[in-house]
Each structure stands twice: as C-alpha cells, then as structure tokens.
Amino acid sequence: MEQTEDHVDQVVRQWRAERPDIDPSSMGVIGRISRAAQTLSKRHRAVFARHDLQPWEFDILATLRRSGPPYRMTAGALGGASMVTSGAITNRIDHLVSRGLVTRETDPDNRRSVLITLTDAGLDVIDRAVTDHVSGQAESLAALSPGEQDQLAALLRKLLLSHGDTPARTQAGVASSRR
C-alpha cells in the first residue's frame, strides 16, 4: 500500500487541531522544502565522499569547471560564486592547492588579483564527481515525471526570484581571467 501522508502532514494536522485560529498550510510547503533539502544534502554528501570531496570542495571545483576552458577564475569571483568571505575562500583555495586540485598564481595583467586554475587532477576529480552527482540527482527525482520536474523547478524558481535570488554577480571575474 502506497504511503500518502508524510511527516509534514502530521505536523500541519496537529497545528490545525491545536490552533484552529491560524492557517498552517504554509508550514506544509516550507516544511517540505526544508526536509527535502536535508534529505538531498545527505545524499549529495555521500556522492562527494565517494570522490574524497567535501561539499565546499565540490562547489569550488564545479564552479571552476563550468567556467569553461581554461577553467580559471579570480579568487574574488570564486568567493562571490561560493558566497563566502575572502578569508574563507583563501583557506579553501590553500587546501585545494595542497591537494593538487588547483593552482594559484598572480594575474600577470593585474598584480592585485589572484587566478585560480583547475589542474588536470582537479579536472579529472570534478568530471567524475559531477557525473555521479547528476546521476544521483536524477535518481532523487525519479518519483516525479519529467513534466512534474519541470513544474516543480518553475515553481521553485518563482519562489526564489520573489526573494531576490538572482545572478547578482557579473561574469567579469570569469571573462577577465580567460586566456
């Protein structure tokens, strides 16, 4: 017999019984988004671990990889894409340099800027990891038809846009570092 109620249904039902003066239906949406994010995050971490990567390492390597050849960005652009402080990005880059996954060099065109580039080893690791990651994501969404996946993506996009989640950063950090 197929389960038709989830944990959030129980929570909403309890609130309706205890506080009939409020409408807890928004809890149904937000609660499911939160629980889905936790579940998916756990699955992502497992995929990354198979490739000896932390989620933040995957994030940085994937950002460099999708920037296109030569897979190079300024440290500032990487920090902006990762939404971490400059100090945090410096520590993360140091770690990835020590693992041989990226290199760091001063930008010859702007000595105040540092260029971070994927190494061949970094490219190999991220290509294998992203293949498994995408496969895992497809598996995570297998309960939804392609049309339902499109509909869910459109609704979530609309929600995120309403909260100001837009590509705020230009690609200047990427474009200026391509050679």
Side-chain angles (χ1 to χ4, degrees):
M1 187 166 142
E2 184 180 344
Q3 183 73 30
T4 58
E5 283 198 349
D6 62 12
H7 174 79
V8 178
D9 287 318
Q10 179 182 0
V11 170
V12 171
R13 188 173 46 257
Q14 290 169 330
W15 278 117
R16 282 196 170 114
E18 293 301 315
R19 290 288 311 271
D21 59 310
I22 64 170
D23 177 8
S25 59
S26 60
M27 288 180 175
V29 175
I30 301 301
R32 286 183 180 91
I33 290 171
S34 178
R35 290 179 68 83
Q38 291 171 3
T39 300
L40 295 172
S41 180
K42 183 177 178 181
R43 292 184 76 154
H44 294 163
R45 286 190 307 270
V47 168
F48 302 153
R50 286 196 303 269
H51 295 277
D52 193 28
L53 294 172
Q54 294 295 319
W56 64 265
E57 291 173 307
F58 178 89
D59 182 46
I60 290 173
L61 297 175
T63 299
L64 287 167
R65 177 63 170 99
R66 66 177 191 265
S67 73
Y71 313 117
R72 176 183 297 141
M73 294 176 71
T74 65
L78 257 181
S82 299
M83 297 189 304
V84 296
T85 65
S86 60
I89 198 69
T90 297
N91 290 336
R92 291 174 179 194
I93 290 167
D94 287 346
H95 177 80
L96 292 170
V97 167
S98 74
R99 289 192 60 192
L101 300 176
V102 301
T103 60
R104 172 196 291 122
E105 63 183 307
T106 302
D107 186 340
D109 297 331
N110 179 357
R111 308 246 345 126
R112 294 175 296 162
S113 187
V114 175
L115 297 174
I116 310 304
T117 307
L118 272 178
T119 63
D120 289 342
L123 184 62
D124 181 58
V125 166
I126 194 58
D127 278 349
R128 284 185 287 113
V130 79
T131 298
D132 286 352
H133 180 56
V134 169
S135 175
Q137 287 181 328
E139 184 180 301
S140 293
L141 295 174
L144 303 176
S145 72
E148 289 170 326
Q149 290 178 37
D150 289 344
Q151 183 180 15
L152 179 59
L155 291 170
L156 290 171
R157 180 183 306 107
K158 183 176 181 178
L159 177 65
L160 291 171
L161 287 170
S162 77
H163 288 275
D165 187 26
T166 59
R169 305 244 189 301
T170 65
Q171 292 298 310
V174 175
S176 68
S177 64
R178 289 190 179 165
R179 299 201 208 313

